[in-house]
Amino acid sequence: MTVYPADDACPRCGQAASPVTLSSAGLLWTWTVQRFAPKSPPFVPPQDGFRPFALGYVELPEGVRVAAVLDIDDLDSIRIGMPLRIEPTTGVPHAMAIEGA
């Protein structure tokens, strides 16, 4: 089993796990729009106020689905199956559309 984010132990059986390198690009599996500000903390509202944002699962070629904030300005342009590149962060990963794909 492969899981994201990496962990020292299998989440199902607890046995030791080994790190593997996953692809940084995949396809949007599903998504939704967060239209209200999440609870603070942990959410820190931006200085210019809350704006709706998209969240989705990006399916990598290895079969792993990664939850990510979708950094896409035009929420109406988001489509299941669109190619995305994942950027790891200290919190929730972010995914951006792959230009020209």
Side-chain angles (χ1 to χ4, degrees):
M1 172 193 327
T2 305
V3 297
Y4 185 98
D7 200 345
D8 292 334
C10 174
R12 287 193 181 159
C13 69
Q15 291 185 3
S18 300
V20 296
T21 301
L22 297 172
S23 302
S24 62
L27 301 176
L28 184 60
W29 186 72
T30 194
W31 63 284
T32 190
V33 175
Q34 177 78 28
R35 298 196 184 275
F36 57 90
K39 184 178 179 181
S40 291
F43 179 73
V44 178
Q47 289 196 1
D48 58 348
F50 175 79
R51 289 190 205 152
F53 60 93
L55 300 160
Y57 279 97
V58 180
E59 186 168 41
L60 303 179
E62 296 82 6
V64 176
R65 294 181 186 137
V66 178
V69 172
L70 307 181
D71 287 337
I72 299 172
D73 292 329
D74 180 7
L75 299 178
D76 292 332
S77 72
I78 300 171
R79 299 286 179 261
I80 290 175
M82 71 186 299
L84 298 170
R85 179 176 37 86
I86 296 176
E87 294 290 330
T89 65
T90 55
V92 176
H94 284 236
M96 282 119 313
I98 296 174
E99 298 300 322

